[in-house]
Amino acid sequence: MKSGLTLLTFFVHILYLTGQETPTPPEGMVYVPAGEFIMGSTYGDPDERPQQIASTKAYFIDKYEVSNTEFAKFDPTFKFPPEKKNNAAVVTWSKADAYAKWAGKRLPTEKEWEKAARGIDGRVFPWGDTYDNTYVVWDQKETRGTSIAKPASPYGCYDMAGGVWEWTSDWYKPYPGNEVPMEQYGETYKVMRGGSNFNNHSFIRTSQRYYVLPEKIHVYPVGIRCVKDID
Amino acid sequence: MFKYSLLPLVSIFIFINHGLLAQKVNEFPKKTDPLYKKVEMFDRLMLGNHWNEGAIMQHVIFPPAGLEQPIIGSQADCLDPTSEMLAAYSHKYAITGDPKDRKIANDIFEAILKLEKVTGVDGLVARSFNRTNEPLWHEEVFWYHEWHQSSSMPGYRWLGDLSADKFTSIFYGVGTFWELCADDEYKKKAAGLLDRFIGRVVDNNFKLTDLDGKMTLWGNFCPNLPHQELNSLEMLAALKVTHHITGKERYNAAYHMLIDRYHYDDHQINSKILFPKEWRNVGDDYHAARSLYMIMRLETDPNLLNKYRMNLNRHWYDWKDIEFTWESNIWFLMVYKVLTGEDIFTELKKQGIKDMWGFERNTREFKIPQKDGSFKLVRSEEERTAAAMIRNYWFGRYYGIIDEKW
């Protein structure tokens, strides 16, 4: 009797879940459902701690980083070499933010970015926990999505590890409960994520945080991946 | 256009700063000169024009683009030529026994100590420094913006975010200096520096960490983080050298922990990416060659030596056909010969050694950022480095690969 009830409960749950409508993402975006996920790490830099259970609402996020061609539609003065039409655009934070608004989207929060990159299970990279050079695009000099293995994140995003760094909307601040002091915390630096694998492998980990002046990116290749709220 | 319009500016500069320009060495060798003469002349150019309080500049831009500074230029990789010249003078001293050569090596070593002192943190070594209270223009346009005003050495600015390759420069250069050149006093200083520098990395779980406490962009040797196979080799080599020089058991223990628990000995074998062919990177080979050169002469365990030899053999697969287009390529083959004893120098390769060259002095325009956000174009002379050539020469002489009459 008890096992029959358990089975019934299970089927009701499945029917309930399958009955939920998954919103259709706009073109070039993927859907990330609401819910909790593992954020941060126990093994990375002090600013990734404490590892925590965080949650987000549901949202859409761009499948790829914004390309030079896409950015030039917003800013016709934006120059890039003709052979790099499909490469990721590298821009300052204010330009990234303006582009996102122009496109009817916005820049992701750190939480949204990290969840889209690693899913709910706390994995090191978007595809899992191991690394190989064939999994990543070699910084912005290569076309987006052209790594040999072409791994997708759990929700179907590409190049969230490597390619260019990606802007988030957040200032560089400590996670709640982090008591390791850093003079850079505050509202001076914005957080960029995802790494450019010109740098060490560790910088393309999903939980890696890096701070940079929003309008002075210097030689850091930082690009854009937007999110869109679900009405 | 600039040929004429800049003449007054240059003239004014010469008038004001003739003392600085008088120090500039302008005599270059001819391509047809014998090797020893080319080395002698490039050595004078390097010591005369690239000397930054003992540290060796990889790139020098002369006034007027150097503005009021006698030398200025890209500085992220200064530890490479600095360690090359330290190794060169260590090998040279081992041959000549001349106190003047030892003095130059000591001065270069002191500059590496200064790279630590300028950061104000024991064991934290800067990439480079400049004596200035104000940011210099190139800080804004060359490399990552990682310059700091020194609090421990007022009047100096230093460049942070040290990387795994400069880490290799330090244990290779300082290790060679300790081995061949340093007297008792300097042996203690060299051991102390490596103890603080490598000790700090070990204490931070095998990460190079910067002033902000975060791992540097290329500072990952950590067993808990994914890292390149090359970095496993570099870390093992650093620990081996530091244990040899300091005699401290902690470095031997760390070496064997990384091998026994984390299999760095197996991981390092594939330091060289061979396929796809376009991913082969001779820049990385340079760091592997320095690491293998240091570790294979100190390791006595045949099982570990076999694994390091496998690494060397994988490099040799590419090096055996390599063209002598870059001075470090020549050094790879010298290292291979020293470590294996194989006679690999054909007449063609010997000619390649005899043809070694340093650099040309070029003139080009520099886009110099101004305080108001605009840029000013200034035409100026620049020099790259001949340190690798000079190091190759004395290394080759020391190991009997290069004849002094060449």
Side-chain angles (χ1 to χ4, degrees):
Chain A
M1 179 68 181
K2 192 181 172 188
S3 60
L5 267 178
T6 306
L7 200 62
L8 183 65
T9 308
F10 175 74
F11 279 119
V12 168
H13 188 63
I14 292 293
L15 283 171
Y16 173 78
L17 285 178
T18 52
Q20 297 293 300
E21 278 188 26
T22 299
T24 305
E27 191 183 342
M29 301 189 91
V30 296
Y31 172 67
V32 180
E36 296 179 332
F37 72 104
I38 297 172
M39 186 174 184
S41 81
T42 56
Y43 47 76
D45 280 340
D47 60 3
E48 295 172 36
R49 294 176 215 150
Q51 193 176 53
Q52 60 197 280
I53 302 296
S55 67
T56 67
K57 293 179 181 174
Y59 56 95
F60 299 120
I61 188 164
D62 288 341
K63 207 170 177 177
Y64 294 100
E65 291 154 345
V66 171
S67 71
N68 284 325
T69 305
E70 287 165 338
F71 190 81
K73 284 179 191 163
F74 156 69
D75 177 5
T77 65
F78 183 67
K79 301 283 183 235
F80 57 89
E83 71 277 10
K84 294 195 174 175
K85 286 179 187 164
N86 199 33
N87 292 39
V90 172
V91 295
T92 61
W93 188 89
S94 61
K95 286 182 178 173
D97 185 55
Y99 170 86
K101 285 173 180 155
W102 170 83
K105 303 174 182 177
R106 60 180 172 81
L107 294 176
T109 62
E110 280 197 84
K111 272 185 193 173
E112 289 166 338
W113 191 96
E114 189 166 327
K115 184 177 176 183
R118 75 193 310 193
I120 62 172
D121 59 10
R123 61 185 62 185
V124 178
F125 299 109
W127 53 83
D129 291 344
T130 58
Y131 174 83
D132 188 86
N133 287 338
T134 62
Y135 300 176
V136 293
V137 170
W138 186 254
D139 68 42
Q140 84 282 15
K141 293 178 189 124
E142 299 291 338
T143 309
R144 301 166 307 148
T146 54
S147 70
I148 290 172
K150 299 182 178 56
S153 77
Y155 302 111
C157 296
Y158 291 88
D159 303 334
M160 293 196 84
V164 292
W165 296 84
E166 297 174 16
W167 285 115
T168 70
S169 58
D170 286 336
W171 294 107
Y172 183 56
K173 291 182 176 176
Y175 289 161
N178 183 315
E179 292 176 357
V180 181
M182 270 198 72
E183 67 177 67
Q184 289 80 8
Y185 285 146
E187 299 200 349
T188 303
Y189 299 96
K190 288 287 185 182
V191 177
M192 57 181 186
R193 293 295 202 106
S196 152
N197 59 313
F198 176 51
N199 305 125
N200 189 272
H201 298 170
S202 182
F203 284 82
I204 62 172
R205 290 179 301 111
T206 53
S207 57
Q208 172 74 35
R209 311 173 71 199
Y210 214 77
Y211 59 88
V212 67
L213 289 168
E215 302 311 313
K216 202 171 180 180
I217 57 174
H218 211 63
V219 292
Y220 288 105
V222 202
I224 317 167
R225 185 187 304 267
C226 302
V227 295
K228 190 175 174 66
D229 292 314
I230 298 173
D231 296 330
Chain B
M1 174 187 170
F2 286 96
K3 186 177 175 186
Y4 301 104
S5 60
L6 280 176
L7 271 176
L9 180 62
V10 173
S11 308
I12 291 166
F13 193 87
I14 290 170
F15 178 74
I16 295 168
N17 285 299
H18 70 281
L20 293 177
L21 288 181
Q23 293 170 13
K24 185 174 162 188
V25 179
N26 292 302
E27 208 177 347
F28 277 74
K30 296 192 288 288
K31 292 250 178 178
T32 52
D33 282 337
L35 180 60
Y36 69 85
K37 189 173 178 189
K38 285 188 284 184
V39 169
E40 198 180 296
M41 295 183 80
F42 274 119
D43 189 65
R44 278 206 291 272
L45 283 156
M46 289 301 293
L47 297 186
N49 299 346
H50 293 237
W51 187 268
N52 182 14
E53 301 184 25
I56 307 297
M57 298 283 282
Q58 72 198 60
H59 175 212
V60 170
I61 304 168
F62 295 103
L67 305 176
E68 71 273 18
Q69 291 289 117
I71 50 175
I72 200 169
S74 323
Q75 287 179 261
D77 296 324
C78 278
L79 268 161
D80 290 345
T82 301
S83 69
E84 284 158 355
M85 290 298 279
L86 182 57
Y89 269 91
S90 298
H91 282 113
K92 187 179 180 186
Y93 175 73
I95 296 168
T96 65
D98 187 337
K100 290 201 288 281
D101 294 330
R102 182 182 246 181
K103 171 75 168 58
I104 291 170
N106 289 348
D107 289 348
I108 297 171
F109 171 76
E110 290 282 354
I112 300 178
L113 282 178
K114 193 180 275 187
L115 286 167
E116 179 196 27
K117 190 180 171 194
V118 76
T119 69
V121 178
D122 276 359
L124 175 60
V125 178
R127 282 177 176 267
S128 195
F129 58 68
N130 281 317
R131 189 172 196 168
T132 176
N133 271 316
E134 293 291 320
L136 302 177
W137 69 264
H138 71 298
E139 294 181 16
E140 294 296 317
V141 288
F142 293 159
W143 202 241
Y144 293 82
H145 200 268
E146 293 285 351
W147 285 90
H148 309 270
Q149 193 70 42
S150 175
S151 51
S152 54
M153 285 173 56
Y156 282 81
R157 289 178 64 76
W158 59 278
L159 180 61
D161 206 68
L162 199 74
S163 53
D165 50 344
K166 303 320 151 213
F167 167 92
T168 304
S169 293
I170 291 170
F171 75 73
Y172 159 72
V174 174
T176 304
F177 172 67
W178 184 93
E179 185 181 333
L180 298 174
C181 183
D183 62 14
D184 287 347
E185 181 197 346
Y186 274 95
K187 273 190 193 301
K188 276 186 199 155
K189 284 187 177 185
L193 172 63
L194 282 190
D195 191 20
R196 292 188 300 278
F197 176 58
I198 304 298
R200 185 170 180 269
V201 178
V202 173
D203 290 344
N204 283 306
N205 196 17
F206 305 93
K207 296 174 190 170
L208 276 171
T209 49
D210 219 344
L211 200 59
D212 62 6
K214 284 176 75 67
M215 188 171 71
T216 63
L217 288 169
W218 289 273
N220 178 15
F221 312 96
C222 177
N224 306 116
L225 293 173
H227 60 265
Q228 285 95 330
E229 291 86 347
L230 174 60
N231 292 27
S232 289
L233 171 67
E234 290 166 339
M235 192 68 237
L236 290 179
L239 292 169
K240 197 76 189 168
V241 170
T242 309
H243 175 238
H244 178 68
I245 287 175
T246 65
K248 289 195 174 179
E249 179 54 27
R250 71 177 301 220
Y251 298 109
N252 188 43
Y255 179 79
H256 286 289
M257 182 195 75
L258 292 179
I259 289 170
D260 297 342
R261 194 182 299 171
Y262 296 104
H263 311 294
Y264 273 39
D265 53 334
D266 293 331
H267 194 239
Q268 61 81 32
I269 293 172
N270 290 341
S271 296
K272 172 77 178 174
I273 298 173
L274 285 170
F275 303 105
K277 201 172 176 181
E278 60 269 24
W279 287 10
R280 294 180 189 179
N281 180 348
V282 291
D284 280 350
D285 292 2
Y286 181 46
H287 318 312
R290 292 185 294 178
S291 302
L292 288 168
Y293 170 70
M294 298 307 278
I295 201 170
M296 287 182 74
R297 291 179 307 119
L298 293 174
E299 184 53 72
T300 54
D301 180 330
N303 184 45
L304 292 174
L305 269 175
N306 181 50
K307 291 179 182 181
Y308 300 139
R309 179 63 195 260
M310 286 170 71
N311 187 327
L312 182 65
N313 290 344
R314 293 183 82 260
H315 279 88
W316 179 248
Y317 181 82
D318 193 32
W319 293 351
K320 66 184 188 314
D321 305 317
I322 207 163
E323 286 182 30
F324 280 4
T325 52
W326 184 43
E327 268 55 41
S328 287
N329 294 1
I330 292 173
W331 194 65
F332 300 159
L333 301 201
M334 290 185 183
V335 166
Y336 185 82
K337 179 178 167 49
V338 168
L339 294 177
T340 66
E342 291 176 24
D343 184 14
I344 53 167
F345 284 102
T346 60
E347 286 306 313
L348 191 65
K349 284 189 165 57
K350 285 179 184 170
Q351 190 57 48
I353 293 174
K354 290 174 191 170
D355 290 341
M356 284 197 298
W357 187 248
F359 54 80
E360 313 288 346
R361 184 180 291 165
N362 299 313
T363 302
R364 70 179 173 101
E365 277 179 358
F366 293 91
K367 204 173 164 186
I368 300 179
Q370 306 293 298
K371 283 182 180 166
D372 64 2
S374 64
F375 289 89
K376 180 179 166 190
L377 279 179
V378 178
R379 197 166 177 78
S380 196
E381 290 180 322
E382 65 172 352
E383 287 179 2
R384 298 289 168 178
T385 169
M389 176 215 195
I390 296 164
R391 186 273 320 273
N392 288 0
Y393 179 77
W394 291 108
F395 184 91
R397 284 282 308 276
Y398 180 79
Y399 283 109
I401 297 167
I402 292 176
D403 190 297
E404 64 180 311
K405 295 189 185 71
W406 285 7

